């Protein structure tokens, strides 16, 4: 076990002193130094430093909302999927009915696609998803594949 006590809860800390609540997605930087966790039940994105198993909250207030903002001023509605770009500077996350970017240095969260539940093929917040669960960013970082679960589409 890299991190987590095995008991559901919320705590930043080293290794087994950290707690997660139903983590759903994990993606690691390509430099092998950090991994990022979609901590679904805590409504947060967390970072694990691999050299010492330190867990820290990168973004999310712990409140079940969906608001853009900086670090812990942002909020998520059950963040599930996460994938880090090749450069390792941003991650795309799926949550609620949106796709969002998390800046891995500052923790700034910005919605780039989706808004409310539905199925509309469009760009930006005019697009609609219904429970996107997982996401994969292409190596060129220009394309993301999203499992749009309730719409039965990729």
């Amino acid at each position: 076990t890299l991190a987590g006590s095995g008991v559901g809860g919320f705590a930043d800390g080293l290794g087994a002193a950290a707690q997660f609540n139903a983590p759903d997605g994990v993606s690691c930087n390509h430099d092998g130094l950090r991994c990022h966790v979609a901590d679904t039940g805590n409504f947060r994105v967390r970072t694990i430093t691999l050299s010492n198993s330190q867990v820290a909250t990168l973004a999310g207030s712990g409140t079940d909302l969906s608001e853009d903002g900086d670090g812990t001023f942002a909020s998520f509605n059950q963040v599930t999927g996460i994938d880090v770009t090749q450069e390792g500077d941003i991650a795309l996350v799926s949550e609620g009915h949106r796709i969002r970017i998390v800046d891995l240095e500052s923790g700034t969260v910005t919605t780039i696609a989706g808004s409310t539940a539905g199925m509309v093929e469009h760009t930006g917040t005019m697009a609609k998803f219904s429970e996107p669960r997982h996401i994969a960013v292409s190596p060129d970082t220009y394309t993301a594949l999203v499992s749009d679960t309730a719409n039965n589409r990729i």
Side-chain angles (χ1 to χ4, degrees):
T1 301
L2 176 65
S5 66
V7 176
F10 172 73
D12 286 337
L14 288 174
Q19 288 183 309
F20 297 94
N21 186 1
D24 198 5
V26 177
S27 184
C28 297
N29 283 47
H30 297 281
D31 61 13
L33 300 177
R34 300 177 295 169
C35 290
H36 309 281
V37 179
D39 193 358
T40 306
N42 281 318
F43 312 107
R44 291 177 164 97
V45 172
R46 317 272 296 281
T47 297
I48 304 172
T49 302
L50 297 177
S51 63
N52 62 2
S53 301
Q54 175 69 45
V55 176
T57 299
L58 176 64
S61 65
T63 305
D64 185 7
L65 296 170
S66 186
E67 296 179 0
D68 292 347
D70 294 330
T72 58
F73 291 103
S75 60
F76 295 99
N77 170 263
Q78 296 187 341
V79 58
T80 54
I82 187 167
D83 197 16
V84 176
T85 62
Q86 288 282 49
E87 290 80 21
D89 56 342
I90 61 170
L92 268 66
V93 299
S94 55
E95 62 90 28
H97 305 295
R98 296 171 172 82
I99 305 302
R100 300 169 81 192
I101 288 178
V102 179
D103 182 300
L104 297 177
E105 294 305 318
S106 69
T108 300
V109 178
T110 307
T111 300
I112 61 166
S115 56
T116 58
M119 206 318 284
V120 175
E121 292 189 29
H122 211 290
T123 58
T125 56
M126 298 296 290
K128 290 191 177 191
F129 300 95
S130 189
E131 300 178 24
R133 290 282 183 242
H134 299 283
I135 191 163
V137 181
S138 66
D140 66 7
T141 70
Y142 292 107
T143 304
L145 297 175
V146 178
S147 62
D148 194 1
T149 306
N151 283 323
N152 301 302
R153 294 172 180 249
I154 303 295

